[in-house]
Amino acid sequence: MRMRVLLLGGESRLGRSLLAQAAAESIVIEAEHRPPGGWLPDLLEPAIDRVRPDLIIDLAFYHEQFQLGEQDPLQLAGQHAFSERVIELCRDRDIVPFLLSSARVFDGAKVGPYAEKDEVSPADPLGQLQAALEDRVREATSRHLILRLSWVLDTSPEGLLGRLLRLIHAGEPLQLAEEWRGNPTPVEDAARVMLALLKQLDCEAPLHGIYHYGSSEPSSWISFAASLVQELLATQRLEHDPQVQPIPFQAQALAGKEPQNASLASRRILMACGVKPRPWRSQLGALVDAMDTINHK
């Protein structure tokens, strides 16, 4: 790859997957890992001076945004300050910013999947932060990439998948919202899409702008949980099929913290970049295997 790429957040599970897939294709991505004191704006310039990147991928707060759904005002302020500084430096040094965003920028009221042209209307503090950073990126430079994702599933014990697995193995009835919809997207698939965008941009394809990606097809959280249970039963990781109790979306813990509809249409990224959505069902077994490996280390 001719572009020099700097990845902030190389220690994150998405960052590690991206680095591994790039290395498998002999693509070099320079990575900065979370410092002991956390990500601070003052740490950026030395890294940029060392790498002199053409593009910066900001995954510094991937875990807080995509797994924890961070809503604490102080934590969000720290994220905002850091990401603002990334965008400022990209603007001042003519570097392409690659921002990761999500379906949280929408209010979740739409019936079908969201497209890039749909109006942004975030309903929670994290979604408001992501929408604000998207605006800043677009204001700073026309040469930018914004990738919005839906439900990213990785192997972190306290992440989306880890929390659901704990509930399943607890043996208690599962109270899950059948109206909560999104695209279950394994972290390896999200990394594949990011790498595809980088390779296209390295070929000088005019692909700047906003893209949506979600593994196919959209699902309710309760349907995803049922598929996960069947995978666990089939691989003898679970002895009994747990009882599932459907509840209204507004009655479950994530109401007000997640958009009720987080489904994203991936048509633009397919037409512009040739990136085909992969079915999440065919990737579920590998994701569960990876989760099992992590838990038994």
Side-chain angles (χ1 to χ4, degrees):
M1 183 176 287
R2 293 168 297 177
M3 282 194 312
R4 291 186 298 274
V5 177
L6 174 60
L7 167 63
L8 304 174
E11 82 294 338
S12 68
R13 280 170 169 78
L14 180 52
R16 294 200 307 246
S17 182
L18 177 60
L19 290 171
Q21 292 186 38
E25 298 188 31
S26 300
I27 295 173
V28 176
I29 295 177
E30 297 287 340
E32 287 288 317
H33 300 291
R34 183 187 295 266
W39 292 104
L40 300 173
D42 293 344
L43 301 174
L44 284 166
E45 289 196 72
I48 291 175
D49 289 340
R50 176 178 59 82
V51 178
R52 297 171 60 196
D54 302 299
L55 180 145
I56 293 178
I57 305 170
D58 185 3
L59 298 184
F61 293 94
Y62 155 80
H63 187 68
E64 289 84 350
Q65 294 188 59
F66 287 87
Q67 298 305 313
L68 302 183
E70 184 63 69
Q71 303 288 334
D72 179 74
L74 289 178
Q75 293 286 344
L76 293 177
Q79 292 182 39
H80 198 170
F82 182 85
S83 297
E84 281 272 9
R85 185 60 179 149
V86 173
I87 295 166
E88 289 173 1
L89 289 169
C90 286
R91 177 197 63 199
D92 296 344
R93 302 192 181 200
D94 195 27
I95 299 169
V96 176
F98 190 159
L99 177 72
L100 213 62
S101 189
S102 79
R104 288 179 179 273
V105 300
F106 302 111
D107 60 14
K110 185 177 178 180
V111 175
Y114 282 95
E116 291 83 353
K117 66 181 181 180
D118 286 322
E119 183 179 356
V120 168
S121 181
D124 69 278
L126 179 52
Q128 291 163 9
L129 170 60
Q130 291 178 342
L133 292 175
E134 287 187 12
D135 286 342
R136 287 288 294 115
V137 164
R138 290 195 295 266
E139 292 168 1
T141 173
S142 60
R143 297 172 62 245
H144 62 262
L145 276 176
I146 297 172
L147 179 62
R148 293 176 182 152
L149 300 171
S150 183
W151 299 333
V152 182
L153 306 174
D154 68 20
T155 56
S156 56
E158 70 279 24
L160 276 173
L161 180 61
R163 296 196 299 269
L164 179 57
L165 282 170
R166 280 201 303 276
L167 290 173
I168 291 172
H169 285 292
E172 301 293 331
L174 297 177
Q175 293 188 333
L176 301 174
E178 56 188 345
E179 302 101 337
W180 187 27
R181 297 187 60 79
N183 303 81
T185 304
V187 69
E188 300 287 339
D189 198 20
R192 173 187 71 93
V193 172
M194 294 177 70
L195 185 60
L197 286 172
L198 290 177
K199 290 191 290 186
Q200 293 269 2
L201 207 59
D202 190 54
C203 295
E204 299 183 356
L207 297 176
H208 301 103
I210 298 176
Y211 295 92
H212 286 181
Y213 182 78
S215 301
S216 61
E217 72 281 356
S219 170
S220 67
W221 189 242
I222 199 170
S223 294
F224 171 72
S227 296
L228 180 58
V229 164
Q230 292 307 307
E231 176 68 26
L232 295 172
L233 290 169
T235 55
Q236 299 182 341
R237 292 180 171 96
L238 188 66
E239 293 184 1
H240 304 290
D241 196 344
Q243 179 184 354
V244 177
Q245 298 175 346
I247 60 173
F249 177 79
Q250 296 302 327
Q252 51 94 45
L254 292 174
K257 298 179 181 179
E258 294 272 0
Q260 183 170 343
N261 176 21
S263 303
L264 297 176
S266 304
R267 179 173 173 77
R268 185 183 183 215
I269 202 168
L270 171 62
M271 301 305 294
C273 311
V275 176
K276 296 182 179 179
R278 287 182 177 172
W280 58 264
R281 296 178 191 276
S282 65
Q283 305 175 73
L284 191 55
L287 185 60
V288 170
D289 288 344
M291 193 76 181
D292 202 40
T293 300
I294 291 294
N295 289 337
H296 285 87
K297 280 187 176 180

